[in-house]
């Protein structure tokens, strides 16, 4: 895309006309200040300039691939990284252009956005005035009343009632900050103080009155004004929003802070939002006015209560607005559909699919781990004369009875239909990848190397995120290069292998893991290898891997020598496996008498001989 577009030419012509028409001593002083500030911005933007001479890692050697670890066939992989945004990188012309816009266009838009944002907070404050959206416990009696109003069983005995209240708070606090035993040992005043902090995000249990909803029409105007001042002069909308009676839940992808603002301008839905939003001035009032369902991700009970709220609102006919849910549970760059959380599908109600994209613009505002900061995104949006957003309202997905009974199946089929309908890729990435990237950031490691498609690996090997993080720490301790890759020597040293025979076996393992044959493996490949060697898997997968590892020449068959190595590895102390007996077994296993053993012949022999089949391992 060209650095200078028609929109820039029109803007600069208008700017020159303004200076010519109103030139004077005051404007001259302003112009000098603008030049100085633009120079400072130009210097600051040097970190965003794309370097032309970028060093690439060239393969140490390339070999023809004749085999690969069979487990790869069961693990989906993708070359698309949904957690990277490199549109913030610019050239020198863009650098000058943005520097000029930062002192001419940006101040006007920033002021307009700030004023409308404050106006939105005021409108929201008026709409919720008089409603008890803040908990203010003065004593345990107030907490008892709060529990009773929400259907909790409160014992009549004073001592039992107190224990129930303590247990109620202990189940809802952040366990990392307040362990259960610590909460149970607190005084009443300490428990009340923690209750006021913990329960403040549980706000709405009844829909807002209609007159309050009419006041909030002003909030829709404010949301569209904020987008206008962010450069979204017009927004391309394809399709129509379905009535709430037809689809109470709206499913959308999440790229940045722009999509929630657009949805508010359209229908003022009730989003699922993080409890941290309630700490932001003005935004907290808007979140409360929208009757958002807020969740504390560190609290298991909070997540459970949110699921119950979604189900209750979706099934209610009392006048709740649409429920806006981002089932990916994190921001992506919009290029793929990652794994869905199942909370949106627990009610078993119809959902409408929606997709927001920013194609055609010079800057993608995706707020991802491997990308610009939130403030950089806001700055860049306001420095562009025109930004582009396209919103596609897709069809309403009606679940069948099987999907209503199985929320996981329902989520997967909606995800498949969303990818198909909007022409997107479907990957096995998930929110676990974001958490792994956070660990990589703390360890000052490349963030892109921590994007592994964690969901498929975790499910296949029945692993927890803690296990993956432990392997990642081990991987970093071995000492990968600046690209986050391990060589064969580093791989063997990391395993602490010194025995020549073991070294030869693990060298073959490395060669099987190294799919492209360049002599290096990244963390995803390392994790698959380690998990495969240390996890209880289907025996057929293990046998196929063993056949591949001991097949030294990679021709897909075992020779007598290679078969002998397997038997000695599986039963090292068994004296029955003499050279003569092994040869007899080899001839017996070689069903077609071609002097070599195929995978099918090997697995059949191991199935008929549990002593060997149960002992072989990677």
């Amino acid at each position: 895309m060209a650095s200078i577009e028609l929109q820039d030419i029109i803007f600069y012509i208008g700017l020159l006309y303004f200076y010519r028409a109103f030139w004077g001593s005051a404007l001259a002083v302003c112009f000098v200040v603008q030049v100085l500030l633009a120079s400072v911005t130009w210097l600051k933007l040097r970190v965003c300039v794309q370097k032309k001479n970028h060093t690439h890692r060239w393969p140490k050697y390339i070999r023809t691939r004749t085999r690969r670890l069979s487990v790869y066939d069961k693990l989906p992989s993708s070359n698309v990284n949904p957690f990277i945004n490199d549109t913030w990188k610019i050239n020198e012309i863009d650098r000058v252009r943005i520097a000029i816009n930062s002192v001419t266009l940006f101040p006007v838009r920033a002021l307009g956005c700030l004023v409308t944002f404050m106006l939105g907070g005021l409108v929201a404050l008026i709409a919720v005035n008089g409603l008890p959206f803040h908990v203010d416990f003065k004593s345990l009696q107030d907490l008892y009343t709060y529990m009773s109003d929400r259907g909790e069983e409160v014992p009549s005995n004073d001592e039992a009632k107190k224990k129930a209240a303590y247990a109620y708070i202990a189940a809802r606090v952040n366990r990392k900050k307040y362990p259960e035993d610590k909460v149970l040992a607190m005084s009443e005043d300490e428990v009340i103080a923690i209750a006021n902090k913990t329960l403040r995000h549980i706000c709405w249990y009844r829909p807002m009155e209609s007159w309050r909803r009419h006041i909030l029409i002003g909030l829709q105007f404010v949301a569209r004004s904020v987008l206008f001042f962010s450069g979204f002069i017009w927004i391309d909308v394809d399709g129509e929003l379905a009535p709430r009676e037809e689809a109470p839940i709206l499913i959308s992808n999440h790229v940045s802070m722009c999509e929630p603002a657009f949805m508010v301008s359209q229908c003022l839905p009730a989003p699922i939002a993080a409890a941290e939003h309630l700490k932001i001035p003005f935004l907290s009032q808007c979140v409360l006015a929208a009757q958002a369902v807020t969740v504390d991700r560190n609290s298991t009970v909070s997540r459970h209560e949110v699921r119950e709220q979604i189900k209750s609102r979706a099934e209610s006919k009392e006048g709740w607005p649409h429920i806006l849910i981002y089932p990916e549970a994190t921001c992506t760059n919009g290029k793929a559909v990652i794994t869905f959380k199942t909370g949106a599908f627990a009610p078993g109600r119809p959902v409408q699919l929606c997709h927001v994209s920013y194609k055609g613009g010079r800057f993608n505002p995706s707020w991802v781990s491997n990308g610009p900061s939130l403030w950089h995104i806001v700055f860049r949006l306001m420095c562009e004369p025109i930004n582009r957003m396209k919103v596609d309202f897709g069809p309403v997905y009606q679940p069948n009875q099987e999907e209503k009974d199985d929320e996981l199946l329902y989520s997967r089929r909606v995800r498949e239909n969303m990818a198909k309908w909007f022409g997107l890729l479907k990957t096995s990435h998930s929110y676990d990848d974001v958490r792994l990237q956070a660990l990589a950031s703390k360890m000052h490691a490349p963030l892109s190397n921590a994007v592994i498609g964690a969901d498929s690996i975790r499910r296949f090997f029945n692993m927890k995120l803690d296990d993956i993080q432990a392997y990642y720490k081990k991987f970093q301790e071995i000492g990968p290069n600046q690209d986050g890759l391990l060589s064969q020597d580093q791989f063997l040293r990391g395993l602490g292998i010194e025995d020549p025979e073991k070294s030869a076996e693990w060298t073959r393992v490395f060669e099987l893991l190294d799919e492209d044959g360049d002599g290096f493996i990244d963390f995803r490949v390392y994790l698959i290898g380690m998990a495969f060697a240390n996890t209880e898997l289907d025996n057929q997968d293990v046998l196929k891997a063993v056949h591949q590892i001991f097949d030294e020449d990679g021709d897909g068959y075992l020779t007598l020598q290679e078969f002998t190595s397997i038997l000695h590895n599986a039963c090292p102390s068994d004296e029955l496996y003499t050279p003569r007996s092994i040869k007899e077994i080899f001839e017996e296993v070689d069903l077609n008498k071609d002097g070599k053993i195929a995978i099918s012949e090997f697995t059949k022999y191991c199935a008929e001989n549990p002593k060997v089949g149960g002992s072989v391992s990677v």
Side-chain angles (χ1 to χ4, degrees):
M1 181 177 293
S3 295
I4 299 296
E5 297 181 355
L6 179 61
Q7 56 179 303
D8 301 305
I9 297 174
I10 295 174
F11 172 70
Y12 292 135
I13 291 175
L15 190 63
L16 290 173
Y17 178 81
F18 173 82
Y19 279 118
R20 181 180 179 182
F22 299 98
W23 186 259
S25 57
L27 190 57
V29 173
C30 180
F31 178 76
V32 172
V33 173
Q34 285 181 317
V35 170
L36 293 175
L37 292 177
S39 300
V40 173
T41 304
W42 181 82
L43 292 173
K44 293 285 187 181
L45 287 172
R46 67 180 181 272
V47 298
C48 301
V49 177
Q50 175 68 57
K51 296 179 180 179
K52 294 182 179 180
N53 298 323
H54 180 70
T55 57
H56 294 277
R57 174 183 61 83
W58 296 103
K60 181 185 287 188
Y61 57 89
I62 300 293
R63 61 177 180 274
T64 304
R65 302 302 296 163
T66 57
R67 53 183 178 163
R68 67 198 298 266
L69 202 59
S70 58
V71 69
Y72 282 139
D73 299 328
K74 298 189 177 183
L75 290 174
S77 61
S78 173
N79 293 326
V80 175
N81 183 349
F83 304 114
I84 187 171
N85 179 7
D86 55 6
T87 59
W88 62 277
K89 297 178 181 178
I90 57 178
N91 56 34
E92 289 294 348
I93 297 178
D94 284 330
R95 187 181 178 186
V96 174
R97 179 179 59 80
I98 294 172
I100 295 173
N101 293 358
S102 69
V103 295
T104 54
L105 187 59
F106 175 76
V108 176
R109 284 184 168 175
L111 180 61
C113 194
L114 179 62
V115 171
T116 54
F117 199 69
M118 294 175 65
L119 179 62
L122 180 61
V123 171
L125 184 62
I126 295 173
V128 300
N129 184 43
L131 293 177
F133 54 82
H134 279 306
V135 293
D136 186 19
F137 303 125
K138 303 295 184 183
S139 65
L140 285 178
Q141 186 60 46
D142 294 335
L143 182 55
Y144 300 153
T145 304
Y146 178 91
M147 294 167 58
S148 179
D149 289 345
R150 280 147 186 80
E152 295 290 332
E153 184 177 349
V154 180
S156 57
N157 181 274
D158 290 342
E159 189 64 29
K161 189 186 298 183
K162 182 178 179 180
K163 288 183 178 180
Y166 271 59
Y168 185 81
I169 297 301
R172 284 158 178 78
V173 295
N174 185 336
R175 293 294 180 86
K176 295 180 180 179
K177 293 183 179 179
Y178 305 104
E180 184 176 1
D181 56 347
K182 184 178 180 180
V183 175
L184 297 178
M186 288 181 176
S187 65
E188 290 187 17
D189 292 339
E190 290 175 322
V191 168
I192 292 300
I194 294 210
N196 282 322
K197 292 181 179 180
T198 304
L199 302 180
R200 63 183 175 182
H201 68 279
I202 304 174
C203 304
W204 295 110
Y205 287 86
R206 290 178 293 276
M208 190 181 289
E209 294 91 335
S210 60
W211 67 269
R212 296 182 187 272
R213 296 286 298 180
H214 281 90
I215 293 176
L216 290 177
I217 293 176
L219 197 59
Q220 293 181 263
F221 169 77
V222 166
R224 185 61 187 92
S225 299
V226 169
L227 289 174
F228 179 85
F229 285 118
S230 298
F232 297 99
I233 310 302
W234 61 83
I235 298 175
D236 185 13
V237 180
D238 189 11
E240 295 183 355
L241 178 68
R244 187 195 181 282
E245 294 74 20
E246 184 179 346
I249 299 175
L250 184 60
I251 298 296
S252 175
N253 66 316
H254 196 9
V255 177
S256 69
M257 65 287 182
C258 300
E259 314 88 52
F262 172 80
M263 292 301 178
V264 169
S265 71
Q266 290 293 297
C267 61
L268 199 65
I272 308 300
E276 289 77 12
H277 289 114
L278 297 176
K279 300 178 183 179
I280 303 175
F282 301 109
L283 180 61
S284 61
Q285 302 297 332
C286 297
V287 170
L288 291 169
Q291 297 184 289
V293 181
T294 50
V295 56
D296 182 357
R297 287 180 173 179
N298 294 315
S299 171
T300 303
V301 175
S302 174
R303 295 196 296 269
H304 174 72
E305 289 180 338
V306 167
R307 289 172 65 91
E308 292 300 316
Q309 270 293 300
I310 293 173
K311 186 175 182 179
S312 174
R313 293 192 187 191
E315 296 174 351
S316 175
K317 298 181 179 179
E318 297 180 358
W320 287 105
H322 285 86
I323 306 173
L324 174 61
I325 301 179
Y326 303 109
E328 294 171 317
T330 188
C331 291
T332 70
N333 56 21
K335 295 181 179 179
V337 181
I338 66 172
T339 305
F340 282 0
K341 298 289 186 181
T342 59
F345 311 97
R349 300 284 294 168
V351 299
Q352 182 175 19
L353 311 183
C354 178
H355 182 260
V356 181
S357 60
Y358 299 89
K359 296 178 180 179
R362 279 186 288 211
F363 180 68
N364 184 338
S366 55
W367 188 19
V368 291
S369 303
N370 196 355
S373 66
L374 177 61
W375 295 115
H376 186 108
I377 292 172
V378 173
F379 173 76
R380 281 294 305 275
L381 286 175
M382 293 186 180
C383 285
E384 296 292 343
I386 297 177
N387 292 302
R388 292 178 174 84
M389 176 193 295
K390 183 181 180 184
V391 181
D392 291 297
F393 286 108
V396 173
Y397 189 94
Q398 297 283 352
N400 57 35
Q401 190 58 48
E402 183 184 15
E403 293 164 346
K404 291 179 180 180
D405 297 336
D406 188 347
E407 61 190 57
L408 180 60
L409 175 65
Y410 188 8
S411 69
R412 288 176 176 174
R413 288 184 177 173
V414 169
R415 179 168 168 257
E416 291 172 359
N417 277 271
M418 190 169 186
K420 182 179 179 180
W421 182 266
F422 299 115
L424 302 170
L425 295 173
K426 189 178 66 171
T427 72
S428 60
H429 299 96
S430 68
Y431 181 63
D432 288 342
D433 290 279
V434 177
R435 296 176 66 181
L436 195 61
Q437 281 184 304
L439 176 61
S441 179
K442 290 181 180 179
M443 302 183 73
H444 305 289
L447 296 184
S448 58
N449 202 25
V451 180
I452 60 173
D455 185 71
S456 60
I457 295 176
R458 186 171 54 81
R459 291 180 183 278
F460 184 82
F461 293 108
N462 195 25
M463 301 175 69
K464 296 181 179 179
L465 179 62
D466 292 341
D467 300 325
I468 297 177
Q469 291 175 330
Y471 278 121
Y472 188 82
K473 292 176 181 178
K474 177 64 176 177
F475 180 83
Q476 292 300 323
E477 289 173 2
I478 296 175
N481 62 21
Q482 62 180 3
D483 293 321
L485 303 172
L486 287 181
S487 66
Q488 179 177 301
D489 293 338
Q490 289 174 313
F491 176 74
L492 296 177
R493 283 201 306 270
L495 294 173
I497 295 175
E498 298 180 358
D499 181 28
E501 291 187 7
K502 281 287 184 182
S503 177
E505 293 174 11
W506 279 97
T507 296
R508 291 194 291 274
V509 171
F510 181 89
E511 291 175 351
L512 287 171
L513 293 173
D514 180 18
E515 282 193 285
D516 57 6
D518 66 352
F520 294 89
I521 60 172
D522 60 14
F523 172 66
R524 181 179 187 272
V525 175
Y526 171 84
L527 175 64
I528 292 174
M530 294 299 97
F532 193 88
N534 295 284
T535 307
E536 293 295 331
L537 298 175
D538 181 86
N539 198 44
Q540 288 294 315
D541 292 322
V542 175
L543 294 176
K544 289 178 181 178
V546 169
H547 186 282
Q548 290 174 308
I549 291 170
F550 285 90
D551 177 18
E552 295 184 26
D553 55 6
D555 62 352
Y557 297 92
L558 294 177
T559 63
L560 176 59
Q561 182 180 353
E562 293 166 346
F563 184 68
T564 301
S565 299
I566 291 179
L567 293 182
H568 286 165
N569 179 272
C571 308
S573 60
D574 198 328
E575 299 179 355
L576 294 177
Y577 291 129
T578 62
R580 181 177 179 180
S581 63
I582 292 176
K583 186 176 181 181
E584 292 175 354
I585 296 173
F586 181 87
E587 293 174 352
E588 179 184 346
V589 176
D590 181 18
L591 299 177
N592 58 3
K593 307 304 178 183
D594 59 355
K596 51 189 178 182
I597 298 176
I599 289 181
S600 58
E601 295 171 329
F602 177 68
T603 54
K604 184 176 183 297
Y605 168 74
C606 290
E608 296 172 352
N609 295 269
K611 181 179 179 180
V612 176
S615 302
V616 296
S617 61
V618 179

